[in-house]
Amino acid sequence: MSQLTHPMESILRMNRMPHIWCPGCGIGTAMTALAEALNKTQIPLDKVAVVSGIGCTGRVAGYVKLDSFHTTHGRAIPFATGLKLANPELKVVVFSGDGDLVAIGGNHFIHAARRNMDIAVFCVNNFTYGMTGGQLAPTTPPPATSTTTPYGAYEQPFNLAHLADSAGASYVARWTVLHIRRLTKSMTEALQKKGFSFVEIICPCPTLYGRRNRIGDGLQEMQFYRDNCIIQHGADTRTIDIKFRDKIVIGKFVDRERPTFLDALNSRLLEALGNRYEPYGKVTENADRN
Amino acid sequence: MRADPKGVLTGDHYLDGDQACAEGALAAGCRFFAGYPITPSTEIAERFAERIPEAAGVFVQMEDELASMAAVLGAAWGGKKAMTVTSGPGFSLMMENIGLGVMMEVPCVVANVQRGGPSTGLPTLPGQADMMQARWGSHGDYEIIALSPNSPQECFDLVIEAFNLSEQYRVPVMFMMDECVGHLTEKVSIPRPESIEIVDRKWYRGRKENYLPYAVNGDLVPAMVKAGDGYRFHATGLTHDERGYPSTTWQTQEKCVHRLVNKIRQNAENIIKVEKDNVDDADVLVVSYGISSRVAVPAIQQARQQGIRVGHLRLITVWPFPEKMIRELAGRVKAFVMPEINYGQMVFEVERCAAGKAETYLVPHGGGWVHDPKNILQVIEAAAA
C-alpha cells in the first residue's frame, strides 16, 4: 500500500508545518496557488528561488521547499534583483505583502518595474499590517479602521495594479484567494512571462482587518469577494481603485512585451563594444526537472 | 587558486585609490557590482561599469544604497563575488542589510570612502569618523572584518585580501578608505594573474540530502552553496538553527550568535595585519591607519631626529582590533599617540587595551583636511616628556 502524501509535498517544507497563519487567513491559499502554478509551468524546481521580505506573507519563503530567502523589510525586490542578475538561469519569485512591497519597499517596486527586471512579484494584499497587529497599510481604504487609525483611515491608498502598470511592468493582474483557479492560472502566466510580472492577491485578514471592520470572519470575507468582485480583463488600471466595502475589479490588466534589463543591457553593450562583448547571462535550457 | 585573467590589468598604471580599488575588485574575481553614486566613492563604480563588460560580469546602478546592499547579498547567494561602494550617508543606509549579510553569512565587500560627517557633512573632503560605525553600525551583536588601505597600491592589493577574507569567513568585509586615499594618484603595479592568490568560496561538497546550511566543524564557518544547484535551502535574517530554520529559543540564539562572533574572534590572529616601524626600541608608539598613517611619518621622523625614541604601528586590519598586540606593547612603551580624523574612535580601543599600563593620547581632527604633522609632533613630544 502506498503511503499517503500531501500533493504539495514536493514544494512545501512539511517539517515546518503547522504554519503561523491565523484561521481564515488567505496567505496559505495564495502559497498553495504558487505551488500549483509552479507544478503547471514545469519550470525545474531546482532553478526556482523564492525571496520574501518581512511580515505574515514574508513567511512564505520559509515554507517552500525551494531555494528561499527571508530577507529584510522591504528589500525582497533588490535582493531578488541581485540574485537574478548573478544567476540569470534562475526563475526568481518575490512573494511578500503589501506593506513590505509598496510601503517600505515601494521605491524598489517601481524601479524594478521600470527596469523590467525579469522577476515574478506576487503581492498578498490584506489591507493591513498583520504581523505587527493591524496597523494602517499603504492599501487600507478609508475609512477602514486600524490600530493606528482608530477613528478611521483618511489617507488615499495605493492602487497597486496602476502603480505597477505605470512604472512599466510587463504583466499585471489582480485576483483574490477566492478565485483560486484563475489566480493559479494568472500566476502560471506571470511565472512564464519574461520581465517584471506582478500579481496582486486580495486576501482576508479576519483577525486584524475583517473583524475590526465588521467584514466578519474569513468565510464571510470570501463571500464578500464572491458578491463584489467583477472580472474585467484589460481594464484601465487608472479606474480600478479599491474602495472600502465596494466592488473590486479583478482580472488580467496588462500583458505586454518590453525588453528585460538583461536584454537591454546586452543589446546596448553589443552595439557599443561589438565582438569585444560576450552577452551576459545566456540561459542554458538543460536543467532536468526533479 | 589564481586570479581570472579577464579581470587583471597587468602592468604599471597611474591610478587614484578609487580606480585601484575597482581594479583590485576585478582582479579578486568580483563579477557583480551594485551601487548608488555618492562622493567621494563614485569613481569606483564608474571604473567598474566601464571595465566589467569585458570581464564577464554585471554592473547595476540601484535606486539607493539600501537596494545596493540587498542586491549584493542576493548576488552572492547567486554564486558571484559581489561588492558595493559608498560614503557617508550611504554607509548609514547600508547598515540594516550589512546585518542581514552577517546573519546569513554572506561573503561580500563594502567599500566606504570616508568623508566628513555627520549627516551630509563634507562630501568632497576626508574624514575617518565611520570606524566605529563599521564595527557597530548594524543592530545586534556581531563581529566584522574591516581593512584600511593608505595608498592606491594598497587599495588594489588589500581589496583582494578583503574578498579573500570575506570568502574564508563568510562575512561582509568593510573596506575603510578615506577621501584622500581615494583621490590620491600614484603608481599602481598590477601583477600577472598567476601571481595573485585568490580564495575561492568554501563550497559544500557533501551529499545533497545531508546538507545543513549552517552546520560547522572545526573552523566555525559553514560551507556554502548557491541558489540553483538543487539544495533547496532556506536562509533567513531570523535567528536560525543548523537547517537555516527560524527558532525563537534562547538556546538557538546563543548557538547562532555565539558562532557569528567567535568565528572572527577565534581567528583574529590569522586575520590581523599591521605594519611596524621602529617598534622594538620605542618609548612612544604612534598608532595610525589610512591617510593619517602617511601624515604621521614626517612627525615621527622629526621626533626621532630630536632624539625621541618613537615607533610607528600602522593598522592595516582595524577590525578585529589587534587587542593582544596592543596589550603586549602597553607593557613596553610609555605612551601611545593616535592621530585620527575624528574626535576619538579607534583610540578608545587602544586605551582599553593599554589598560592603564601606558598613556594614550589622541591627536584629533574634525575632518575636511588631514592633520598638520606639527600637531602630531607636539603630542609625541608631550607623550615622551
Side-chain angles (χ1 to χ4, degrees):
Chain A
M1 200 175 86
S2 66
Q3 208 181 340
L4 282 176
T5 55
H6 190 280
M8 295 300 158
E9 250 195 53
S10 63
I11 294 184
L12 301 183
R13 293 184 193 275
M14 301 311 283
N15 61 356
R16 290 221 54 217
M17 297 297 146
H19 56 66
I20 63 158
W21 299 311
C22 303
C25 171
I27 299 171
T29 310
M31 181 171 75
T32 307
L34 170 68
E36 187 70 40
L38 283 169
N39 272 336
K40 280 196 174 143
T41 59
Q42 295 285 303
I43 297 168
L45 294 177
D46 282 354
K47 298 295 174 192
V48 179
V50 175
V51 185
S52 291
I54 296 296
C56 291
T57 313
R59 291 305 183 103
V60 164
Y63 297 133
V64 290
K65 197 156 74 185
L66 302 164
D67 290 336
S68 56
F69 302 93
H70 180 222
T71 66
T72 42
H73 199 16
R75 316 304 161 205
I77 287 178
F79 188 102
T81 296
L83 188 60
K84 175 68 187 178
L85 293 182
N87 195 348
E89 67 169 6
L90 293 175
K91 171 53 66 182
V92 179
V93 175
V94 169
F95 206 105
S96 220
D98 52 303
D100 186 74
L101 288 170
V102 296
I104 188 167
N107 196 32
H108 312 310
F109 181 82
I110 57 175
H111 284 278
R114 171 181 68 80
R115 294 185 184 108
N116 205 23
M117 197 53 66
D118 187 15
I119 57 177
V121 177
F122 299 132
C123 175
V124 170
N125 179 5
N126 57 13
F127 307 104
T128 194
Y129 283 85
M131 186 69 91
T132 47
Q135 292 79 26
L136 178 81
T139 47
T140 310
T145 58
S146 72
T147 60
T148 48
T149 50
Y151 309 108
Y154 45 86
E155 292 180 15
Q156 175 168 312
F158 263 137
N159 168 348
L160 303 186
H162 179 46
L163 187 66
D165 180 9
S166 50
S170 286
Y171 182 97
V172 181
R174 178 195 283 162
W175 297 100
T176 82
V177 290
L178 176 75
H179 301 82
I180 182 93
R181 284 197 306 274
R182 290 179 171 101
L183 169 64
T184 305
K185 179 167 178 274
S186 183
M187 289 171 100
T188 308
E189 289 175 0
L191 286 165
Q192 288 169 326
K193 185 80 189 173
K194 259 186 91 179
F196 188 90
S197 52
F198 174 67
V199 180
E200 177 182 6
I201 306 162
I202 307 288
C203 167
C205 175
T207 307
L208 293 159
Y209 182 77
R211 193 176 51 176
R212 183 180 296 278
N213 287 294
R214 301 208 164 80
I215 291 167
D217 61 16
L219 179 62
Q220 285 168 303
E221 189 156 347
M222 296 288 251
Q223 281 164 345
F224 176 84
Y225 296 160
R226 189 192 60 194
D227 297 339
N228 291 282
C229 285
I230 304 163
I231 298 176
Q232 206 182 318
H233 295 300
D236 183 339
T237 58
R238 287 173 300 185
T239 65
I240 57 168
D241 287 271
I242 298 175
K243 299 194 172 67
F244 186 57
R245 301 177 81 171
D246 200 354
K247 301 287 178 197
I248 301 174
V249 175
I250 55 175
K252 178 167 83 174
F253 310 126
V254 176
D255 192 349
R256 61 189 163 204
E257 304 304 319
R258 272 184 67 209
T260 66
F261 176 89
L262 277 183
D263 291 342
L265 175 146
N266 280 328
S267 61
R268 179 90 288 274
L269 290 176
L270 274 174
E271 202 176 316
L273 300 173
N275 59 12
R276 283 156 62 202
Y277 182 66
E278 174 127 356
Y280 177 82
K282 267 186 145 175
V283 177
T284 49
E285 304 275 354
N286 57 1
D288 296 324
R289 184 177 170 87
N290 53 340
Chain B
M1 199 184 146
R2 303 297 164 198
D4 166 16
K6 278 202 208 85
V8 186
L9 205 66
T10 304
D12 290 341
H13 307 270
Y14 192 53
L15 300 177
D16 73 14
D18 281 357
Q19 294 165 333
C21 174
E23 288 302 331
L26 287 162
C30 178
R31 294 294 180 267
F32 179 88
F33 187 110
Y36 186 81
I38 188 164
T39 307
S41 71
T42 311
E43 293 89 335
I44 306 178
E46 289 170 343
R47 179 88 177 192
F48 205 95
E50 189 187 332
R51 293 262 292 119
I52 194 65
E54 291 176 64
V58 65
F59 169 92
V60 56
Q61 182 171 317
M62 297 301 286
E63 53 275 17
D64 58 30
E65 288 88 347
L66 298 99
S68 302
M69 192 63 221
V72 160
L73 300 181
W77 279 116
K80 291 276 192 288
K81 290 191 179 183
M83 96 177 295
T84 186
V85 309
T86 192
S87 304
F91 198 49
S92 297
L93 288 175
M94 287 180 182
M95 283 300 145
E96 188 194 9
N97 282 315
I98 288 173
L100 180 64
V102 168
M103 195 60 152
M104 284 184 168
E105 302 184 63
V106 188
C108 59
V109 174
V110 180
N112 175 4
V113 188
Q114 295 173 89
R115 64 192 222 185
S119 191
T120 314
L122 296 167
T124 59
L125 296 167
Q128 291 181 318
D130 305 343
M131 303 306 292
M132 283 291 169
Q133 190 183 17
R135 170 67 185 85
W136 303 104
S138 199
H139 56 278
D141 230 345
Y142 62 97
E143 285 278 347
I144 204 88
I145 297 175
L147 310 177
S148 179
N150 78 346
S151 69
Q153 181 68 54
E154 201 172 51
C155 285
F156 177 88
D157 296 333
L158 204 56
V159 84
I160 297 172
E161 177 86 8
F163 275 97
N164 286 349
L165 288 169
S166 80
E167 295 294 342
Q168 194 175 348
Y169 296 104
R170 281 189 63 179
V171 69
V173 172
M174 306 293 114
F175 197 61
M176 302 300 286
M177 298 164 63
D178 53 62
E179 186 276 334
C180 286
V181 169
H183 286 161
L184 182 68
T185 302
E186 289 180 337
K187 179 178 158 184
V188 176
S189 296
I190 299 181
R192 299 173 66 83
E194 58 273 20
S195 54
I196 299 174
E197 189 64 44
I198 299 296
V199 173
D200 196 12
R201 191 150 298 176
K202 188 178 171 183
W203 297 113
Y204 174 78
R205 307 210 186 271
R207 296 171 67 87
K208 266 186 191 170
E209 54 274 26
N210 297 340
Y211 179 62
L212 289 168
Y214 293 100
V216 291
N217 41 42
D219 68 355
L220 303 181
V221 182
M224 198 164 170
V225 298
K226 71 177 200 294
D229 284 353
Y231 290 91
R232 310 260 203 111
F233 65 95
H234 180 61
T236 175
L238 287 165
T239 294
H240 47 265
D241 59 21
E242 290 185 338
R243 297 170 299 174
Y245 291 0
S247 159
T248 51
T249 67
W250 68 264
Q251 289 92 342
T252 312
Q253 169 75 357
E254 166 69 18
K255 208 174 164 193
C256 176
V257 180
H258 193 256
R259 189 174 59 71
L260 294 180
V261 166
N262 266 14
K263 71 176 177 180
I264 305 299
R265 287 191 187 168
Q266 284 188 8
N267 290 299
E269 295 308 308
N270 300 321
I271 298 167
I272 291 166
K273 265 189 171 176
V274 296
E275 189 177 78
K276 291 179 180 176
D277 188 28
N278 288 317
V279 168
D280 291 341
D281 74 336
D283 286 333
V284 175
L285 194 60
V286 172
V287 185
S288 70
Y289 58 91
I291 195 62
S292 302
S293 68
R294 296 180 67 163
V295 179
V297 170
I300 292 165
Q301 285 168 344
Q302 204 169 333
R304 286 194 82 90
Q305 277 167 19
Q306 291 173 24
I308 301 170
R309 287 194 296 188
V310 54
H312 192 185
L313 179 72
R314 177 167 79 92
L315 307 181
I316 297 170
T317 311
V318 282
W319 301 113
F321 187 74
E323 201 167 307
K324 198 170 150 223
M325 189 179 294
I326 297 290
R327 280 189 208 289
E328 284 167 9
L329 288 165
R332 286 163 41 197
V333 303
K334 195 172 158 198
F336 294 105
V337 170
M338 189 153 204
E340 295 187 89
I341 309 177
N342 59 50
Y343 287 106
Q345 294 202 8
M346 298 310 295
V347 72
F348 294 127
E349 281 296 288
V350 176
E351 192 172 37
R352 177 176 71 83
C353 298
K357 287 193 279 178
E359 292 291 326
T360 306
Y361 296 86
L362 166 69
V363 193
H365 193 299
W369 201 238
V370 294
H371 292 81
D372 184 333
K374 273 186 280 185
N375 296 340
I376 302 172
L377 178 63
Q378 280 167 6
V379 180
I380 294 171
E381 287 167 348

